Amino acid sequence: MRDPDGLVALRDVLAQAAGKLGFSDALATGALWRGWSDIVGDDVAGHAEPTSLKEGVLRIRADSPVWATELGYLAEDIRARINANAGAELVAKILVWTGPGKTATTSAKSARGPAVGDETEDLPDSPMEAFERAENAWRKTRSGGHP
């Protein structure tokens, strides 16, 4: 789009280039990631985060099966909020998956230290510890619940 002087805005040039490269909604996607906590609220953002957005399908990682179930119930409301925030039909479908670890929001809060009343959770500090925890859980399920 050209302004009255005939100049083209840089964002329009970048948006056109992004579209040709398959990143047509890159700005809206970036806004979704940056505004996640504002869109879904601090409680949800403390337990879930977006992990990918491709062809209208938003994948959200929840830190527990309980939160994954809750997000399943909230999916339509979250989708509507995201699209309203983007001013476009950015998300058509939401898929929720469960994965171990802290969300980026939780990690950012923990860098400042726990707030009064926050409960801390013993989660793996390294990828190797996370792997060992997952392997132990797998072995337990394979042995019928016995360690």
Side-chain angles (χ1 to χ4, degrees), residues 87-98:
E89 188 71 18
L90 184 64
V91 175
K93 181 177 182 180
I94 292 179
L95 298 176
V96 182
W97 62 284
T98 304

Side-chain angles (χ1 to χ4, degrees), residues 54-133:
K54 185 175 182 180
E55 298 176 0
V57 178
L58 174 66
R59 293 182 50 88
I60 300 172
R61 183 188 68 83
D63 64 4
S64 72
V66 172
W67 274 100
T69 301
E70 182 67 19
L71 288 167
Y73 292 127
L74 296 173
E76 183 55 34
D77 184 49
I78 291 171
R79 187 190 71 75
R81 287 182 187 192
I82 290 168
N83 291 339
N85 191 55
E89 188 71 18
L90 184 64
V91 175
K93 181 177 182 180
I94 292 179
L95 298 176
V96 182
W97 62 284
T98 304
K102 298 178 182 178
T103 64
T105 303
T106 304
S107 299
K109 287 180 182 176
S110 66
R112 294 188 304 262
V116 175
D118 276 0
E119 295 179 20
T120 56
E121 208 174 314
D122 290 328
L123 294 174
D125 293 325
S126 72
M128 193 56 168
E129 287 173 333
F131 173 77
E132 289 171 0
R133 184 174 163 200

Side-chain angles (χ1 to χ4, degrees), residues 13-33:
V13 173
L14 292 175
Q16 184 178 13
K20 289 179 182 178
L21 295 171
F23 302 113
S24 59
D25 295 319
L27 294 174
T29 302
L32 167 59
W33 262 248

